[in-house]
């Protein structure tokens, strides 16, 4: 599946401030919300709709409404920074949670929590701001598929070439939406130029 990179001057503007190491957590959360909104719109452009007839004050009109449920699965904890925009845009959305934490030495993610709503028949969007090695994304995409998801997308704020390649190899049918496609991983498996540890910057830890 192709990689969709946000192309919007506002996305570039917000991303630059998000990367800035002097940006404090409160502003960082606002900027994450803004990029989450742009990604929420971009990643749902192809949602199926069905006809619905309503009575306007002047006449009957047949328009479209969303045809299928939407489920967002944030990867804890940093994925929480991208969840609210989806909740604000899609009031009927359900939320599942997958808790993963990368080991500081090996960068391999360990699972510590999983709670998912019914996924069959829904568009499932896994959200996690950082796609670095791709290990967390691949684990989560595997879990949601094992739980019945058939129509799955992945949305992140920053991605690396290594992470995108890994997801595309293990889950080739999953479209990836990203606000920035960065240069590489460094020796510690952080994205370069990146923005550092997203969870730490989001929550001031
Ligand atoms: C970060 C980030 C992703 C993961 C990406 O989470 O939010 O979940 O790393 O790295 P990967 O592609 O190499 O798996 P982290 O494990 O630091 O946990 P946190 O969200 O609790 O900070
Ligand atoms: N997780 C982060 O928060 N940042 C990175 O650069 C890589 C993984």
């Amino acid at each position: 599946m192709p990689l969709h990179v946000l192309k919007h001057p506002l996305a570039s503007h917000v991303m630059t401030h998000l990367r800035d190491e002097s940006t404090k957590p409160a502003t960082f959360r606002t900027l994450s919300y803004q990029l989450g909104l742009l990604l929420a719109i971009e990643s749902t452009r192809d949602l199926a709709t069905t006809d619905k007839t309503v009575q306007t004050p002047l006449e009957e009109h047949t328009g479209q409404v969303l045809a299928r449920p939407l489920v967002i699965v944030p990867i804890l904890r940093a994925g929480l920074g991208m969840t609210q925009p989806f909740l604000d845009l899609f009031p009927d959305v359900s939320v599942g949670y997958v808790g993963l934490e990368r080991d500081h030495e090996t960068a391999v993610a360990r699972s510590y929590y999983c709670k998912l709503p019914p996924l069959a028949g829904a568009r499932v969007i896994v959200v996690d701001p950082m796609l670095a090695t791709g290990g967390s994304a691949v684990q989560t995409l595997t879990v949601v598929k094992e739980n019945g998801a058939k129509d799955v997308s992945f949305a992140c704020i920053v991605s690396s070439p290594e992470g995108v390649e890994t997801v595309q190899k293990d889950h080739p049918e999953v479209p990836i939406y990203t606000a920035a496609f960065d240069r590489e991983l460094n020796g510690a498996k952080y994205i370069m130029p990146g923005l550092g540890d997203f969870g730490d910057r989001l929550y001031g830890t």
Side-chain angles (χ1 to χ4, degrees), residues 77-78 102 107 128-133 136 158 182 184-186 188-201:
R77 88 198 132 140
R102 283 203 331 173
D128 187 343
M130 306 303 278
L131 178 59
T133 66
S136 303
V158 184
D182 275 10
E184 62 186 354
L185 296 183
N186 69 10
K189 308 293 184 195
Y190 274 76
I191 302 174
M192 302 294 285
L195 45 73
D197 188 305
F198 197 99
D200 284 351
R201 297 196 60 194

Side-chain angles (χ1 to χ4, degrees), residues 74-80 97-101 112-113 127-128:
I75 303 179
L76 304 176
R77 88 198 132 140
L80 291 176
Y97 294 94
V98 170
L100 294 177
E101 187 174 24
Y112 60 86
Y113 188 71
V127 299
D128 187 343

Side-chain angles (χ1 to χ4, degrees), residues 79-174:
L80 291 176
M82 295 172 68
T83 304
Q84 194 59 41
F86 284 88
L87 297 181
D88 290 348
L89 283 177
F90 299 95
D92 292 331
V93 67
S94 308
V95 185
Y97 294 94
V98 170
L100 294 177
E101 187 174 24
R102 283 203 331 173
D103 182 279
H104 283 295
E105 300 297 321
T106 63
V108 175
R110 173 189 68 87
S111 168
Y112 60 86
Y113 188 71
C114 183
K115 188 155 184 106
L116 297 170
L119 303 179
R123 160 69 59 86
V124 177
I125 307 181
V126 174
V127 299
D128 187 343
M130 306 303 278
L131 178 59
T133 66
S136 303
V138 163
Q139 268 195 58
T140 307
L141 293 168
T142 301
V143 166
V144 298
K145 286 186 190 174
E146 285 170 354
N147 279 270
K150 297 261 183 295
D151 177 12
V152 190
S153 304
F154 182 80
C156 60
I157 289 180
V158 184
S159 55
S160 73
E162 293 90 334
V164 168
E165 193 184 330
T166 298
V167 171
Q168 287 180 334
K169 181 165 91 33
D170 288 18
H171 297 282
E173 79 293 0
V174 172

Side-chain angles (χ1 to χ4, degrees), residues 6 8-21 23 27-39 81 157-158 179-180 194-195 198 201:
L6 276 188
H8 193 292
L10 181 61
S12 307
H13 174 91
V14 173
M15 181 61 70
T16 301
H17 289 292
L18 197 70
R19 291 186 194 277
D20 186 341
E21 67 172 359
T23 297
T27 308
F28 193 90
R29 287 192 285 274
T30 303
L31 298 169
S32 304
Y33 177 88
Q34 292 170 339
L35 283 174
L37 271 182
L38 293 168
L39 283 165
I157 289 180
V158 184
L195 45 73
F198 197 99
R201 297 196 60 194

